[in-house]
Amino acid sequence: MSDTSQTTQFKPPGAAQEALLRRLIDVVATPGSRISPHDRSVAGDILLDMLLHATDRERTLCASRLAVCRDAPRRVLRYLAQCSFAVAEPLLERSDAFDACDLVEIIQNSTPEHRLKIARRRNLCVSVTACIAQIGEPHVVRDLIANRNAPLAETTVDRLVAMSRDEASYCAMLVERAELRFSHAMAMFWWADTATRRKILTRQAADRAEMINICSDVFEMAAAEGWADPIARKALQLIERRQRNRGAIAKSPYDSLEGAVAAAAARGMDAELAQEIGYLAGIKPVTAAKIMSDMGGEGLAILCKATGLKRDYLRQIWIALRRPLELAPGQPNPVFTNVAETYEVLSVAKAQTTLRYWNWSLSAAFSPGALRQAQEMGEPANEEDSYSASQRTARLVFGN
């Protein structure tokens, strides 16, 4: 045989391997109706073994071919999806063959680029979104929250709300999610920005009218029992329509809530007056302190609107707290302007619900031991603490 014929017939090293790889890809990419599951499985085993020794160019070729094949062997797909991002991208973006377990494995064993692409996929399930949230990479989590095709379990929303204390960008995104519950919103309010607070107060707060009507006779029963049952008393505290503590007026050195606010405006707010205002308003000292110390100030608008204080008393409380109404002569303080607008736009019923929920969750269920636990961000002490909405909200608000 001449040298020419030898050259024509001889193939460079690796040509057979490349040809076999392509044939095996053809086999596993063949529609299910044209090949037996057994043949596909055997071909997939051989293909995977070859891919372990292949180049990224060959892996990318395989991933691109199999990205649209629902019947491809999942073990092959999982391997390719955990290769370099350039190899995995077509599968992560287009493949419908992965189930939740596959995606969780990929999330746990890949890079932030892989996780970001998965966070943007359509039709994710709650176990996958929970896994992404648990890893907690901010840029990935933001895309996850923005993805309306990525449902969030309640426990995942719990986690994301807690994370939003340190990642402020989550707040504005979470408030747009349908899964956000009232308890989540009421906790997140305390560290949210001004615009998000406004959305929380206008969208999340309810008027409790139906609950009040249904439970109206229960108030009479509890009163007849002298409010001796602490569980009923705690629950009815949240449902009750009246906000001011009528019994406190007779014991107060001031003739009314308005009188206490006027005294604070005249001489400045101190701890004793703040506690007295809270007492007359029907809220516990810890709730009053949280509202008075909040620099955003919307809580003051809630306090005034819920208790029937006229708008001028909101101004007086602001002055009593030594906060400026103007930044310069003729230049209104935008913080107070926002607080005043909040007072105007919120209904009395919604303000009362918000104030009562804060009081219920931040104080009624919050023992000194639970407070220490929250500050340490420890685990709930018992099952009741784990499931209780009030305990969970308190841990979120007061935890470090």
Side-chain angles (χ1 to χ4, degrees):
M1 183 179 293
S2 68
D3 292 341
T4 303
S5 61
Q6 287 179 350
T7 303
T8 302
Q9 294 178 8
F10 179 75
K11 292 185 178 180
Q17 178 179 324
E18 183 173 345
L20 178 58
L21 185 74
R22 290 175 178 269
R23 299 298 188 278
L24 291 170
I25 293 172
D26 290 340
V27 171
V28 299
T30 300
S33 59
R34 294 170 52 188
I35 188 172
S36 72
H38 176 75
D39 285 351
R40 186 193 303 278
S41 178
V42 172
D45 290 344
I46 300 171
L47 175 61
L48 178 57
D49 191 65
M50 294 188 69
L51 287 172
L52 295 174
H53 306 284
T55 65
D56 270 1
R57 181 184 65 83
E58 293 166 327
R59 292 176 183 136
T60 301
L61 169 66
C62 184
S64 298
R65 283 287 308 279
L66 300 185
V68 294
C69 179
R70 292 185 58 89
D71 299 320
R74 295 241 292 274
R75 191 179 299 275
V76 174
L77 297 179
R78 287 198 303 274
Y79 168 72
L80 291 170
Q82 294 174 63
C83 289
S84 68
F85 181 71
V87 172
E89 185 177 14
L91 290 169
L92 299 179
E93 184 173 354
R94 300 195 300 273
S95 179
D96 293 328
F98 296 118
D99 64 17
C101 292
D102 296 331
L103 291 175
V104 167
E105 178 184 321
I106 295 164
I107 289 166
Q108 293 173 337
N109 296 287
S110 59
T111 70
E113 284 183 300
H114 290 70
R115 290 187 279 271
L116 184 63
K117 184 62 72 171
I118 292 173
R120 295 171 176 172
R121 283 172 62 96
R122 295 177 58 85
N123 302 321
L124 293 177
C125 68
V126 293
S127 60
V128 174
T129 58
C131 186
I132 294 173
Q134 187 170 20
I135 293 175
E137 295 151 324
H139 70 293
V140 177
V141 171
R142 280 192 287 270
D143 273 47
L144 177 68
I145 300 173
N147 184 355
R148 292 299 186 269
N149 295 300
L152 303 174
E154 186 174 16
T155 52
T156 301
V157 180
D158 289 345
R159 182 184 297 275
L160 293 175
V161 169
M163 292 165 63
S164 73
R165 293 187 61 161
D166 299 316
E167 289 292 340
S169 60
Y170 295 175
C171 296
M173 303 178 75
L174 284 168
V175 80
E176 302 293 341
R177 294 290 309 214
E179 298 96 334
L180 191 76
R181 297 290 177 258
F182 184 74
S183 59
H184 296 135
M186 289 297 102
M188 194 170 68
F189 171 90
W190 296 106
W191 54 82
D193 59 30
T194 298
T196 303
R197 284 183 166 196
R198 180 69 61 85
K199 288 181 180 179
I200 287 172
L201 293 175
T202 54
R203 295 181 184 180
Q204 292 288 334
D207 57 17
R208 299 168 299 137
E210 189 170 346
M211 274 197 301
I212 291 170
N213 290 334
I214 291 175
C215 300
S216 59
D217 60 327
V218 181
F219 286 97
E220 298 177 5
M221 297 178 194
E225 295 172 355
W227 300 95
D229 186 334
I231 297 174
R233 185 173 66 248
K234 172 189 168 183
L236 291 173
Q237 171 190 325
L238 178 57
I239 300 172
E240 186 179 8
R241 186 187 301 276
R242 294 179 302 176
Q243 182 59 55
R244 294 196 190 190
N245 185 347
R246 296 181 180 179
I249 295 175
K251 302 176 183 178
S252 175
Y254 308 97
D255 60 354
S256 64
L257 177 58
E258 286 81 357
V261 171
R267 69 172 192 254
M269 187 74 73
D270 56 28
E272 182 180 347
L273 263 173
Q275 184 168 329
E276 186 67 20
I277 289 171
Y279 185 45
L280 295 170
I283 58 178
K284 301 293 179 62
V286 68
T287 310
K290 186 67 179 175
I291 291 172
M292 298 286 184
S293 63
D294 175 53
M295 296 310 297
E298 291 92 343
L300 298 172
I302 299 298
L303 174 65
C304 291
K305 197 62 174 277
T307 57
L309 287 170
K310 302 300 182 184
R311 63 177 60 87
D312 185 59
Y313 288 97
L314 173 60
R315 182 176 176 275
Q316 290 187 44
I317 293 180
W318 194 262
I319 293 171
L321 291 169
R322 299 176 179 84
R323 300 182 188 179
L325 293 170
E326 296 182 328
L327 300 182
Q331 183 182 352
N333 182 350
V335 179
F336 180 73
T337 299
N338 172 66
V339 171
E341 289 175 356
T342 299
Y343 176 93
E344 297 297 339
V345 301
L346 204 62
S347 69
V348 172
K350 287 189 173 183
Q352 286 181 343
T353 299
T354 302
L355 185 60
R356 284 195 168 278
Y357 193 89
W358 285 343
N359 194 54
W360 175 74
S361 61
L362 302 187
S363 61
F366 217 46
S367 65
L371 177 58
R372 287 193 298 272
Q373 183 187 92
Q375 291 171 338
E376 296 168 1
M377 285 304 285
E379 292 299 317
N382 51 54
E383 184 177 9
E384 177 186 347
D385 290 353
S386 176
Y387 283 94
S388 168
S390 57
Q391 292 281 7
R392 186 173 64 248
T393 302
R395 284 197 301 274
L396 283 170
V397 173
F398 290 116
N400 292 326

PDB file of all heavy atoms in Angstrom, residues 72-89:
ATOM      1  N   ALA A  72     -33.639  12.101  28.139  1.00  0.00           N
ATOM      2  CA  ALA A  72     -32.213  11.825  28.325  1.00  0.00           C
ATOM      3  C   ALA A  72     -31.961  11.269  29.724  1.00  0.00           C
ATOM      4  O   ALA A  72     -32.673  11.609  30.679  1.00  0.00           O
ATOM      5  CB  ALA A  72     -31.405  13.105  28.127  1.00  0.00           C
ATOM      6  N   PRO A  73     -30.971  10.384  29.878  1.00  0.00           N
ATOM      7  CA  PRO A  73     -30.669   9.823  31.201  1.00  0.00           C
ATOM      8  C   PRO A  73     -30.358  10.931  32.213  1.00  0.00           C
ATOM      9  O   PRO A  73     -29.492  11.774  31.970  1.00  0.00           O
ATOM     10  CB  PRO A  73     -29.446   8.941  30.939  1.00  0.00           C
ATOM     11  CG  PRO A  73     -29.505   8.623  29.485  1.00  0.00           C
ATOM     12  CD  PRO A  73     -30.100   9.823  28.832  1.00  0.00           C
ATOM     13  N   ARG A  74     -31.047  10.916  33.326  1.00  0.00           N
ATOM     14  CA  ARG A  74     -30.914  12.018  34.283  1.00  0.00           C
ATOM     15  C   ARG A  74     -29.536  12.044  34.929  1.00  0.00           C
ATOM     16  O   ARG A  74     -29.050  13.114  35.296  1.00  0.00           O
ATOM     17  CB  ARG A  74     -32.010  11.922  35.330  1.00  0.00           C
ATOM     18  CG  ARG A  74     -33.396  12.123  34.757  1.00  0.00           C
ATOM     19  CD  ARG A  74     -34.075  13.322  35.373  1.00  0.00           C
ATOM     20  NE  ARG A  74     -34.362  13.080  36.772  1.00  0.00           N
ATOM     21  CZ  ARG A  74     -35.464  12.470  37.213  1.00  0.00           C
ATOM     22  NH1 ARG A  74     -36.366  12.037  36.342  1.00  0.00           N
ATOM     23  NH2 ARG A  74     -35.667  12.300  38.490  1.00  0.00           N
ATOM     24  N   ARG A  75     -28.910  10.890  35.073  1.00  0.00           N
ATOM     25  CA  ARG A  75     -27.576  10.874  35.667  1.00  0.00           C
ATOM     26  C   ARG A  75     -26.601  11.662  34.788  1.00  0.00           C
ATOM     27  O   ARG A  75     -25.742  12.393  35.285  1.00  0.00           O
ATOM     28  CB  ARG A  75     -27.090   9.445  35.855  1.00  0.00           C
ATOM     29  CG  ARG A  75     -25.824   9.335  36.702  1.00  0.00           C
ATOM     30  CD  ARG A  75     -25.415   7.876  36.859  1.00  0.00           C
ATOM     31  NE  ARG A  75     -26.451   7.106  37.531  1.00  0.00           N
ATOM     32  CZ  ARG A  75     -26.576   7.020  38.854  1.00  0.00           C
ATOM     33  NH1 ARG A  75     -25.736   7.677  39.644  1.00  0.00           N
ATOM     34  NH2 ARG A  75     -27.538   6.286  39.382  1.00  0.00           N
ATOM     35  N   VAL A  76     -26.740  11.510  33.463  1.00  0.00           N
ATOM     36  CA  VAL A  76     -25.909  12.276  32.525  1.00  0.00           C
ATOM     37  C   VAL A  76     -26.208  13.759  32.657  1.00  0.00           C
ATOM     38  O   VAL A  76     -25.297  14.595  32.712  1.00  0.00           O
ATOM     39  CB  VAL A  76     -26.152  11.792  31.080  1.00  0.00           C
ATOM     40  CG1 VAL A  76     -25.411  12.692  30.087  1.00  0.00           C
ATOM     41  CG2 VAL A  76     -25.715  10.350  30.905  1.00  0.00           C
ATOM     42  N   LEU A  77     -27.492  14.088  32.721  1.00  0.00           N
ATOM     43  CA  LEU A  77     -27.876  15.498  32.831  1.00  0.00           C
ATOM     44  C   LEU A  77     -27.360  16.122  34.122  1.00  0.00           C
ATOM     45  O   LEU A  77     -26.875  17.257  34.123  1.00  0.00           O
ATOM     46  CB  LEU A  77     -29.398  15.627  32.756  1.00  0.00           C
ATOM     47  CG  LEU A  77     -30.062  15.180  31.458  1.00  0.00           C
ATOM     48  CD1 LEU A  77     -31.576  15.359  31.547  1.00  0.00           C
ATOM     49  CD2 LEU A  77     -29.507  15.967  30.274  1.00  0.00           C
ATOM     50  N   ARG A  78     -27.463  15.387  35.231  1.00  0.00           N
ATOM     51  CA  ARG A  78     -26.987  15.930  36.507  1.00  0.00           C
ATOM     52  C   ARG A  78     -25.483  16.177  36.475  1.00  0.00           C
ATOM     53  O   ARG A  78     -24.994  17.181  37.003  1.00  0.00           O
ATOM     54  CB  ARG A  78     -27.344  14.987  37.654  1.00  0.00           C
ATOM     55  CG  ARG A  78     -28.810  14.978  38.030  1.00  0.00           C
ATOM     56  CD  ARG A  78     -29.015  14.387  39.425  1.00  0.00           C
ATOM     57  NE  ARG A  78     -28.475  13.035  39.542  1.00  0.00           N
ATOM     58  CZ  ARG A  78     -29.129  11.933  39.224  1.00  0.00           C
ATOM     59  NH1 ARG A  78     -30.372  12.018  38.739  1.00  0.00           N
ATOM     60  NH2 ARG A  78     -28.580  10.747  39.371  1.00  0.00           N
ATOM     61  N   TYR A  79     -24.759  15.249  35.859  1.00  0.00           N
ATOM     62  CA  TYR A  79     -23.309  15.436  35.764  1.00  0.00           C
ATOM     63  C   TYR A  79     -22.982  16.685  34.957  1.00  0.00           C
ATOM     64  O   TYR A  79     -22.182  17.536  35.389  1.00  0.00           O
ATOM     65  CB  TYR A  79     -22.658  14.211  35.121  1.00  0.00           C
ATOM     66  CG  TYR A  79     -21.221  14.461  34.731  1.00  0.00           C
ATOM     67  CD1 TYR A  79     -20.230  14.557  35.703  1.00  0.00           C
ATOM     68  CD2 TYR A  79     -20.863  14.646  33.393  1.00  0.00           C
ATOM     69  CE1 TYR A  79     -18.903  14.827  35.353  1.00  0.00           C
ATOM     70  CE2 TYR A  79     -19.552  14.916  33.030  1.00  0.00           C
ATOM     71  CZ  TYR A  79     -18.576  15.019  34.016  1.00  0.00           C
ATOM     72  OH  TYR A  79     -17.278  15.292  33.673  1.00  0.00           O
ATOM     73  N   LEU A  80     -23.584  16.810  33.777  1.00  0.00           N
ATOM     74  CA  LEU A  80     -23.295  17.958  32.922  1.00  0.00           C
ATOM     75  C   LEU A  80     -23.705  19.275  33.587  1.00  0.00           C
ATOM     76  O   LEU A  80     -23.030  20.294  33.439  1.00  0.00           O
ATOM     77  CB  LEU A  80     -24.025  17.801  31.583  1.00  0.00           C
ATOM     78  CG  LEU A  80     -23.516  16.684  30.671  1.00  0.00           C
ATOM     79  CD1 LEU A  80     -24.475  16.484  29.503  1.00  0.00           C
ATOM     80  CD2 LEU A  80     -22.102  16.995  30.178  1.00  0.00           C
ATOM     81  N   ALA A  81     -24.805  19.244  34.340  1.00  0.00           N
ATOM     82  CA  ALA A  81     -25.290  20.463  34.989  1.00  0.00           C
ATOM     83  C   ALA A  81     -24.385  20.917  36.125  1.00  0.00           C
ATOM     84  O   ALA A  81     -24.492  22.052  36.595  1.00  0.00           O
ATOM     85  CB  ALA A  81     -26.709  20.245  35.516  1.00  0.00           C
ATOM     86  N   GLN A  82     -23.496  20.018  36.581  1.00  0.00           N
ATOM     87  CA  GLN A  82     -22.561  20.382  37.645  1.00  0.00           C
ATOM     88  C   GLN A  82     -21.146  20.598  37.118  1.00  0.00           C
ATOM     89  O   GLN A  82     -20.222  20.843  37.905  1.00  0.00           O
ATOM     90  CB  GLN A  82     -22.572  19.307  38.735  1.00  0.00           C
ATOM     91  CG  GLN A  82     -23.905  19.222  39.461  1.00  0.00           C
ATOM     92  CD  GLN A  82     -23.965  18.069  40.450  1.00  0.00           C
ATOM     93  OE1 GLN A  82     -23.218  18.028  41.415  1.00  0.00           O
ATOM     94  NE2 GLN A  82     -24.870  17.132  40.202  1.00  0.00           N
ATOM     95  N   CYS A  83     -20.993  20.534  35.799  1.00  0.00           N
ATOM     96  CA  CYS A  83     -19.716  20.884  35.184  1.00  0.00           C
ATOM     97  C   CYS A  83     -19.561  22.406  35.195  1.00  0.00           C
ATOM     98  O   CYS A  83     -20.364  23.116  35.794  1.00  0.00           O
ATOM     99  CB  CYS A  83     -19.659  20.330  33.757  1.00  0.00           C
ATOM    100  SG  CYS A  83     -19.512  18.522  33.677  1.00  0.00           S
ATOM    101  N   SER A  84     -18.559  22.921  34.527  1.00  0.00           N
ATOM    102  CA  SER A  84     -18.353  24.371  34.473  1.00  0.00           C
ATOM    103  C   SER A  84     -19.619  25.051  33.942  1.00  0.00           C
ATOM    104  O   SER A  84     -20.408  24.437  33.210  1.00  0.00           O
ATOM    105  CB  SER A  84     -17.167  24.702  33.583  1.00  0.00           C
ATOM    106  OG  SER A  84     -17.462  24.386  32.230  1.00  0.00           O
ATOM    107  N   PHE A  85     -19.800  26.314  34.302  1.00  0.00           N
ATOM    108  CA  PHE A  85     -21.038  27.006  33.934  1.00  0.00           C
ATOM    109  C   PHE A  85     -21.235  27.045  32.419  1.00  0.00           C
ATOM    110  O   PHE A  85     -22.360  26.935  31.932  1.00  0.00           O
ATOM    111  CB  PHE A  85     -21.039  28.422  34.506  1.00  0.00           C
ATOM    112  CG  PHE A  85     -22.290  29.177  34.196  1.00  0.00           C
ATOM    113  CD1 PHE A  85     -23.491  28.844  34.811  1.00  0.00           C
ATOM    114  CD2 PHE A  85     -22.291  30.216  33.274  1.00  0.00           C
ATOM    115  CE1 PHE A  85     -24.662  29.526  34.518  1.00  0.00           C
ATOM    116  CE2 PHE A  85     -23.451  30.901  32.977  1.00  0.00           C
ATOM    117  CZ  PHE A  85     -24.636  30.563  33.603  1.00  0.00           C
ATOM    118  N   ALA A  86     -20.158  27.203  31.673  1.00  0.00           N
ATOM    119  CA  ALA A  86     -20.279  27.245  30.212  1.00  0.00           C
ATOM    120  C   ALA A  86     -20.879  25.950  29.680  1.00  0.00           C
ATOM    121  O   ALA A  86     -21.656  25.957  28.722  1.00  0.00           O
ATOM    122  CB  ALA A  86     -18.912  27.490  29.585  1.00  0.00           C
ATOM    123  N   VAL A  87     -20.528  24.832  30.292  1.00  0.00           N
ATOM    124  CA  VAL A  87     -21.099  23.540  29.888  1.00  0.00           C
ATOM    125  C   VAL A  87     -22.542  23.424  30.360  1.00  0.00           C
ATOM    126  O   VAL A  87     -23.435  22.999  29.618  1.00  0.00           O
ATOM    127  CB  VAL A  87     -20.257  22.382  30.486  1.00  0.00           C
ATOM    128  CG1 VAL A  87     -20.957  21.042  30.244  1.00  0.00           C
ATOM    129  CG2 VAL A  87     -18.855  22.375  29.896  1.00  0.00           C
ATOM    130  N   ALA A  88     -22.791  23.799  31.598  1.00  0.00           N
ATOM    131  CA  ALA A  88     -24.097  23.568  32.222  1.00  0.00           C
ATOM    132  C   ALA A  88     -25.188  24.523  31.752  1.00  0.00           C
ATOM    133  O   ALA A  88     -26.374  24.189  31.829  1.00  0.00           O
ATOM    134  CB  ALA A  88     -23.953  23.679  33.733  1.00  0.00           C
ATOM    135  N   GLU A  89     -24.822  25.699  31.282  1.00  0.00           N
ATOM    136  CA  GLU A  89     -25.812  26.755  31.019  1.00  0.00           C
ATOM    137  C   GLU A  89     -26.989  26.315  30.149  1.00  0.00           C
ATOM    138  O   GLU A  89     -28.153  26.604  30.485  1.00  0.00           O
ATOM    139  CB  GLU A  89     -25.128  27.980  30.412  1.00  0.00           C
ATOM    140  CG  GLU A  89     -26.080  29.144  30.223  1.00  0.00           C
ATOM    141  CD  GLU A  89     -25.401  30.384  29.691  1.00  0.00           C
ATOM    142  OE1 GLU A  89     -24.250  30.275  29.219  1.00  0.00           O
ATOM    143  OE2 GLU A  89     -26.014  31.462  29.744  1.00  0.00           O
TER     144      GLU A  89
END
